[in-house]
Amino acid sequence: MTNRLADATSPYLLQHADNPVDWWPWTEEAFDEARRRNVPVLLSVGYAACHWCHVMAHESFEDAEIASFLNTNFVPVKVDREERPDVDAVYMEVTQAMTGHGGWPMTVFLTPDARPFHAGTYYPPAPRPGMPSFRQLIEAVSATWAAQPGEILESASAVVEEISRHASPLPPSTVDANVLAGAVVSLLGEFDRRNGGFGGAPKFPPSMALEFLVRHHERTGSVEAVSMATATADAMANGGLYDQLGGGFARYSVDASWVVPHFEKMLYDNALLLRFYTHLTRVTGSARYERVARDTASFLLRDLRTAEGGFAASLDADTAGVEGLTYVWSFEELGSAAAAFGVTAEPNFEDGKSTLRFVSEPGEEVRAALLAKRALRPQPGRDDKVIASWNGMAIAALAEAGAFFGEQSWISAASEAASLLASVHLVEGRLLRTSRDGVAGPSFGVLEDYGCLADGLLALHQVTGSIRWLDLACGLLDTALARFAVPDSPGAYYDTADDAEALVRRPADSTDNASPSGASSLASALLTASLLCGADRSSRYFTAASEAVTRAGLLAARAPRFAGHWLTVAEALVAGPLQVAVVGADDMRRASLWAAAVAHVPGGSVVVAGEPASVPLLEDRPLVDEGPAAYVCRGYVCDRPVVSVDALVTSLTANTP
């Protein structure tokens, strides 16, 4: 028998559709049922690629006795955190406040009006030191609800009051060149000089902090900034975190030296890292970084692209219930290739197997043969829902990388993904967050969807010259400014729209975590759009971007590891974003000028080519001697137009540190 999740569009919810637990999706009807029966709600939050979510599901939610107890004494509600990031954010804040840590699966007990009174993460099937079994937990919660309902309701009210007390926006604080230099110093203090990256195990790819360091180096020439970026790029790409055969990065490393990954592969990580390695290639000219960027793009197109042209959310950490089964190798299986991949008779993983690292180049034939052999193994499951914000990141990365490396097929893939988002996710100017098999899901877009998708569309506009993408991006930004802004707090934004479902608290988290926060992604897109759109919007967008960065100033100054995307936007503001307009017919000279601009502009710049007046940036830019010309502007000051590649490169590099 299936439960109420059978009709869901979320693969994670569908994974639980055959559980004996009588799951409800997150709906008002579920809470009506809890009120009718006067029982608490068990909220279980996870996602399809989550290893420990699978473990808890198998141990507890597939157990008939546990399911029977849950069905009798609770209304069980299952939520895909990727589909409902607003629900996840509110109750993760509660979980972290109550337990001092968070993670998935997340297990929260709610009153029938959705107020939390007990929270945790994974619970085992048998008690462990300091941790009850899941059966013990649900029995204790049920007994307490029956015996002391008044105390639980009072406690739940206190929890909601406490989290609401800390919901005010940060006060404005300037982010200038001194703050940016101080952020580099702070990052240097947390930098792992032996292994690269920041902090200890588990170690996550610090994509946005690395992007900031590259931009800071471009503006100032800082050796410290680029050294941290390249050392971390080397360590990640040479370790087990990176798929040495198929390209692409795993979610994180369980050790400090990047050797053993947690094998799930997320779209947002790989989109952010593709963008970073592309930009690092531009700065360093490294063939190794180019190879990593190219192989990561190939991974996106080969393994995550959906039939409709979008990009799937993730690949599972597990294969056939075994973590990493697809990816690890024994010394004997590798034979003469073992040394190139750093594999010895002493395994570094489980069951006599090892992850692969880059020690020396094994050769294309060897890599291809091993990849073909791996393809015959069972493969990890794929969560093939399309998420608006994550696809926005992929669109931006493929558009920029395609332009820089001269790969038109990557730009075409980005355009197809954008077309899918425009036709399926965008309804009467409002975004829906997810789709699957070309069918939109039920959840409305949150701020990060508007910011990241607008950012991707703006990148696509620059590399294609199509006004369609600019118009769509500006429409998204107008909606975001109107629907998500915190009243009377310029630069502050909620993560949900003013007409979204009311939760116990309206979430507003400006911290950059695994991916850009909604507010920082919006600020980035606003700044870029201010350089590309017409005069009717330019000043308004620039002011909004500046106010947003100022509102995040204290975060950027005090916790730069968690403000990486904010810092990249601030770098562009301090530098005065550079604009290159290449006007003229589509001929070899225009193509050469455009390619030279793409190859030499620093991060945060905009480059557009096309016929004069075809898009706003090209207006009032006449041809020179009836042929193509390039106009270079910094802030509101423009150089004389140039017609040769050498002159353009000289203009672009004149102020390079």
Side-chain angles (χ1 to χ4, degrees), residues 289-305:
Y289 299 153
E290 177 177 349
R291 174 62 186 266
V292 172
R294 286 184 172 276
D295 286 354
T296 300
S298 296
F299 160 72
L300 290 176
L301 297 172
R302 181 188 65 239
D303 293 345
L304 292 186
R305 202 172 184 197

Side-chain angles (χ1 to χ4, degrees), residues 54-147:
H54 300 327
V55 171
M56 189 169 175
H58 177 68
E59 293 173 343
S60 297
F61 300 144
E62 295 174 9
D63 183 285
E65 290 187 5
I66 288 178
S68 177
F69 189 88
L70 282 176
N71 296 340
T72 300
N73 297 282
F74 298 87
V75 171
V77 172
K78 178 63 74 172
V79 167
D80 181 344
R81 68 171 295 262
E82 296 170 354
E83 188 175 64
R84 291 298 303 264
D86 51 342
V87 173
D88 176 67
V90 168
Y91 294 104
M92 182 57 72
E93 183 180 10
V94 170
T95 301
Q96 292 172 330
M98 286 185 168
T99 68
H101 65 276
W104 300 275
M106 178 166 60
T107 306
V108 188
F109 295 92
L110 313 177
T111 65
D113 58 358
R115 290 177 292 168
F117 61 88
H118 188 83
T121 52
Y122 165 80
Y123 289 95
R128 296 179 183 175
M131 181 185 296
S133 69
F134 184 63
R135 180 62 184 261
Q136 288 175 324
L137 174 68
I138 58 178
E139 288 177 346
V141 170
S142 178
T144 304
W145 178 266

Side-chain angles (χ1 to χ4, degrees), residues 476-546:
L476 292 174
L477 295 177
D478 289 342
T479 300
L481 291 173
R483 294 287 187 175
F484 292 85
V486 178
D488 303 319
S489 297
Y493 294 90
Y494 291 111
D495 289 324
T496 55
D498 54 5
D499 58 350
E501 176 189 354
L503 303 174
V504 294
R505 185 177 78 77
R506 191 174 174 189
D509 185 1
S510 59
T511 305
D512 295 324
N513 288 301
S515 59
S517 68
S520 69
S521 63
L522 178 66
S524 176
L526 285 167
L527 180 58
T528 302
S530 74
L531 307 173
L532 294 169
C533 67
D536 58 324
R537 288 183 168 113
S538 180
S539 178
R540 179 162 59 94
Y541 286 176
F542 184 84
T543 298
S546 301

Side-chain angles (χ1 to χ4, degrees), residues 405-442:
F405 293 117
E407 295 289 347
Q408 182 59 46
S409 63
W410 301 0
I411 299 173
S412 297
S415 296
E416 289 183 25
S419 294
L420 174 70
L421 272 290
S423 62
V424 174
H425 289 243
L426 193 59
V427 180
E428 297 180 352
R430 304 296 293 276
L431 269 179
L432 296 172
R433 179 164 171 82
T434 66
S435 69
R436 186 167 183 255
D437 299 330
V439 178

Side-chain angles (χ1 to χ4, degrees), residues 267-268 270-272 274-275 300-301 309-311 386-403 410-422 425 449 452-464 469 472 476:
L267 174 59
Y268 58 79
N270 285 283
L272 292 169
L274 169 57
R275 215 171 182 183
L300 290 176
L301 297 172
F311 291 91
V386 172
I387 298 175
S389 59
W390 301 4
N391 272 256
M393 296 179 215
I395 291 166
L398 287 167
E400 288 188 359
W410 301 0
I411 299 173
S412 297
S415 296
E416 289 183 25
S419 294
L420 174 70
L421 272 290
H425 289 243
D449 295 307
C452 291
L453 182 55
D455 196 53
L457 296 175
L458 293 168
L460 195 56
H461 162 66
Q462 293 178 64
V463 302
T464 64
W469 306 127
L472 283 175
L476 292 174

